[in-house]
């Protein structure tokens, strides 16, 4: 089964960024997902092809008209049905939405399709959201010029969850702890770079020792840099080994902190 994405956007060409390059480019070519774009401008009847208007109540900026968007949503729903999509959602990417995280990505990847709306200007007429949108999702707290990049971020995250999209080496690191912890440090050749050497354990050939070192680095860095992530990892369940490795890291970190050099 192919995952069906229908994207509603004033700038369809922007989506070449994900369909042409890298992992998501290869996946689209191999029909592991389909991406269809709908331009609200193509659903207008006036000669100027108007898709926005001034906000009631005054003020700066423009608001996207409900009607051309509604026609896009309807067309997208019909296309998804024709493609045999049984489980779909209409999602609007907006700063007002629930913040995207790996848990939400997993929820979306259980569906067979998604209809995604990118905003421009000051956003959508609220009545379109009320009538057509099921989920509002945000990728983070900063100002953007449009919802296209957020839609692409979401598609990239979901595409990576589709079986066959990642090659063997890429997906091997996926089902383990990487979902909930930060990565360990990575090194490649040369063994010594500008006087900095690779940690000895990585050259030891002792695979269980390496696994434990990496797990400890992941736990330690998450503890130092993202205590919020570590908290939810502990709530989900931490093994005795993980607990011990983290305690050892904390002791070593505490000892190093007090060193003068
Ligand atoms: N952004 C903020 C407050 C007020 C406005 C914005 C803002 C694009 C259509 C929305 C931005 C960020 C993450 C969509 C931001 C996202 C958008 C997103 C987005 C044009 C209207 C707009 C308090 C967050 C800084 C512009 C905060 N995830 N308005 O950026 O679409 O999905």
């Amino acid at each position: 089964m192919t995952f069906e994405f229908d994207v509603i956007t004033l700038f369809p060409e922007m989506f070449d960024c994900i369909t042409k390059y890298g992992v998501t480019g290869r996946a689209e070519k191999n029909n592991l997902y389909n991406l269809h774009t709908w331009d609200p401008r193509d659903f207008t009847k006036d000669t100027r092809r108007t898709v926005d208007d001034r906000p009631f109540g005054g003020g700066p900026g423009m608001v996207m008209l409900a009607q051309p968007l509604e026609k896009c949503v309807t067309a997208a729903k019909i296309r998804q049905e024709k493609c045999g999509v049984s489980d779909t959602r209409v999602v609007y990417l907006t700063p007002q939405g629930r913040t995207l995280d790996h848990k939400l990505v997993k929820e979306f990847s259980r569906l067979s399709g998604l209809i995604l709306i990118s905003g421009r200007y000051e956003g959508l007429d609220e009545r379109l959201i009320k009538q057509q949108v099921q989920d509002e999702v945000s990728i983070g707290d900063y100002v953007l010029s449009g919802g296209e990049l957020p839609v692409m971020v979401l598609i990239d995250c979901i595409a990576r969850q589709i079986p066959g999209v990642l090659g063997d080496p890429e997906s091997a690191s996926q089902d383990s702890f990487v979902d909930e912890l930060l990565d360990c440090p990575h090194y490649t050749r040369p063994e010594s770079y500008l006087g900095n050497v690779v940690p000895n354990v990585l050259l030891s050939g002792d695979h269980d020792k390496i696994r434990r070192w990496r797990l400890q680095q992941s736990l330690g860095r998450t503890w130092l840099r993202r205590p919020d992530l570590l908290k939810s990892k502990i709530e989900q369940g931490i093994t005795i080994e993980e607990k011990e490795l983290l305690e050892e890291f904390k002791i070593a970190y505490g000892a190093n902190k007090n060193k003068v050099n």
Side-chain angles (χ1 to χ4, degrees):
M1 250 297 274
T2 311
F3 199 105
E4 299 290 342
F5 292 106
D6 280 78
V7 178
I8 298 167
T9 172
L10 291 173
F11 300 105
E13 295 85 4
M14 285 181 73
F15 291 83
D16 291 354
C17 291
I18 49 174
T19 56
K20 282 196 172 154
Y21 307 102
V23 165
T24 51
R26 186 184 58 197
E28 205 260 358
K29 229 174 155 190
N30 294 340
N31 273 309
L32 296 172
Y33 74 87
N34 259 320
L35 196 158
H36 195 98
T37 55
W38 300 95
D39 186 344
R41 241 176 251 291
D42 296 335
F43 293 83
T44 55
K45 281 179 246 148
D46 62 315
T47 48
R48 286 200 167 75
R49 311 226 290 159
T50 311
V51 291
D52 60 336
D53 207 336
R54 292 148 66 212
F56 277 121
M62 300 293 268
V63 177
M64 289 181 82
L65 291 166
Q67 208 204 27
L69 288 167
E70 189 206 308
K71 287 180 174 169
C72 288
V73 173
T74 303
K77 282 180 175 167
I78 291 169
R79 197 196 75 86
Q80 295 227 335
E81 206 157 290
K82 276 183 187 157
C83 292
V85 172
S86 50
D87 263 335
T88 189
R89 264 330 149 81
V90 179
V91 180
Y92 175 38
L93 279 290
T94 166
Q96 279 85 49
R98 163 179 170 194
T99 306
L100 184 65
D101 60 9
H102 194 64
K103 185 170 170 268
L104 188 50
V105 170
K106 289 233 157 138
E107 277 178 44
F108 282 141
S109 28
R110 282 190 270 276
L111 304 170
S112 41
L114 277 175
I115 297 167
L116 304 166
I117 307 176
S118 312
R120 280 275 155 175
Y121 318 115
E122 305 307 311
L124 278 46
D125 186 309
E126 194 64 25
R127 293 163 297 184
L128 187 280
I129 303 172
K130 209 173 166 205
Q131 286 166 18
Q132 303 286 344
V133 172
Q134 284 156 298
D135 292 317
E136 294 179 70
V137 174
S138 167
I139 63 160
D141 297 338
Y142 28 77
V143 179
L144 291 172
S145 322
E148 283 77 12
L149 288 169
V151 165
M152 285 189 256
V153 166
L154 182 56
I155 293 174
D156 186 286
C157 295
I158 293 168
R160 298 174 56 81
Q161 300 299 315
I162 301 170
V165 166
L166 297 184
D168 273 346
E170 292 161 311
S171 50
S173 62
Q174 202 183 45
D175 36 36
S176 58
F177 57 87
V178 291
D179 283 1
E180 34 208 359
L181 294 177
L182 297 180
D183 250 351
C184 62
H186 304 293
Y187 299 89
T188 185
R189 288 185 291 182
E191 266 179 43
S192 176
Y193 178 68
L194 303 175
N196 282 148
V197 295
V198 173
N200 247 325
V201 53
L202 297 177
L203 310 172
S204 69
D206 184 337
H207 295 300
D208 196 57
K209 210 175 154 194
I210 292 168
R211 179 193 63 79
R212 273 183 281 125
W213 180 84
R214 286 181 167 155
L215 180 53
Q216 182 170 55
Q217 289 295 311
S218 284
L219 288 159
R221 293 174 129 198
T222 309
W223 172 65
L224 285 172
R225 301 186 195 190
R226 292 294 306 278
D228 57 317
L229 278 185
L230 185 63
K231 190 171 165 273
S232 57
K233 159 80 183 162
I234 290 167
E235 280 162 9
Q236 280 180 56
I238 184 168
T239 67
I240 294 166
E241 182 188 43
E242 287 168 337
K243 213 182 146 160
E244 284 171 357
L245 288 170
L246 179 58
E247 284 317 308
E248 194 184 62
F249 183 98
K250 286 180 180 176
I251 291 163
Y253 179 78
N256 277 328
K257 228 172 34 177
N258 301 324
K259 274 189 190 160
V260 187
N261 255 324

